[in-house]
């Protein structure tokens, strides 16, 4: 399994992410597999973008995507790479697929770990949306991490 170096977003990565954002082909497993494989050849952030689509199915997808199908896609994706934040991102993603949430404190702790890996925007997004942050505690942390990565 390749171990990707963290890097800022490239044009190829941006185009790939834009091509799947709220347009993931949930109903076509072969296309999903091809996109997962394509992401693995681009970057960790691209892979985490696919993971975000898998664990945060948009309403526009009709809400009729089976949990077992999403879990299978997540497991397939997990075998495609190694990265230090992989376990926390996939654990969180699995919880989201199963309609479970982290506590705000758990999300903050995980976001602080992701902070150390510049450019992992999709991983950060998964964590940001992993809980019901009614007090808005995550927003300043999100902003601080993103600003730090841009420096």
């Amino acid at each position: 399994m390749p171990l990707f170096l963290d890097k800022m977003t490239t044009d190829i990565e941006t185009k790939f992410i834009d091509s799947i954002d709220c347009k993931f082909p949930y109903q076509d497993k072969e296309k999903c597999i091809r996109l997962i494989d394509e992401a693995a050849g681009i970057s960790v952030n691209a892979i985490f973008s696919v993971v975000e689509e898998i664990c945060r199915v948009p309403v526009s997808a009709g809400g009729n995507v089976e949990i077992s199908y999403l879990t299978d896609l997540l497991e397939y994706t997990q075998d495609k790479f190694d990265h230090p934040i992989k376990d926390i991102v996939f654990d969180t993603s699995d919880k989201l697929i199963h309609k479970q949430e982290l506590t705000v404190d758990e999300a903050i702790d995980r976001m602080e770990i992701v902070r150390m890996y510049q450019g992992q925007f999709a991983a950060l997004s998964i964590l940001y949306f992993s809980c019901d942050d009614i007090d808005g505690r995550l927003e300043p942390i999100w902003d601080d991490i993103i600003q730090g990565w841009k420096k």
Side-chain angles (χ1 to χ4, degrees):
M1 281 182 260
L3 178 62
F4 292 98
L5 299 175
D6 294 313
K7 60 183 177 62
M8 292 304 288
T9 305
T10 65
D11 287 341
I12 293 169
E13 183 181 275
T14 300
K15 287 177 185 172
F16 175 80
I17 293 168
D18 288 346
S19 77
I20 65 167
D21 186 27
C22 293
K23 299 173 229 152
F24 199 71
Y26 298 97
Q27 306 308 322
D28 187 334
K29 189 171 187 173
E30 287 181 25
K31 282 185 183 177
C32 292
I33 297 297
R34 283 195 302 270
L35 287 170
I36 293 165
D37 291 340
E38 183 179 350
I42 297 172
S43 69
V44 173
N45 190 49
I47 293 173
F48 286 144
S49 294
V50 169
V51 171
E52 184 173 19
E53 292 298 319
I54 292 169
C55 72
R56 297 187 60 232
V57 179
V59 175
S60 63
N64 58 354
V65 183
E66 295 289 327
I67 289 174
S68 61
Y69 176 73
L70 295 172
T71 301
D72 288 347
L73 290 176
L74 193 64
E75 287 174 4
Y76 180 81
T77 307
Q78 193 166 8
D79 291 337
K80 291 294 175 181
F81 73 112
D82 283 317
H83 193 274
I85 61 172
K86 177 178 155 179
D87 289 344
I88 64 169
V89 173
F90 278 83
D91 176 67
T92 304
S93 300
D94 187 63
K95 286 182 184 341
L96 291 172
I97 288 171
H98 289 91
K99 309 293 187 226
Q100 300 169 355
E101 293 184 341
L102 298 180
T103 67
V104 173
D105 287 335
E106 288 172 322
I108 289 170
D109 290 346
R110 292 177 183 203
M111 288 172 72
E112 291 297 342
I113 293 168
V114 170
R115 176 192 297 271
M116 296 183 287
Y117 299 94
Q118 186 166 346
Q120 297 309 314
F121 300 101
L124 190 63
S125 181
I126 291 166
L127 298 172
Y128 181 83
F129 290 105
S130 67
C131 63
D132 186 14
D133 180 25
I134 58 174
D135 296 325
R137 292 174 53 203
L138 297 180
E139 188 74 26
I141 295 165
W142 167 277
D143 290 341
D144 188 56
I145 292 170
I146 297 298
Q147 291 307 313
W149 286 348
K150 289 181 178 180
K151 291 181 182 177

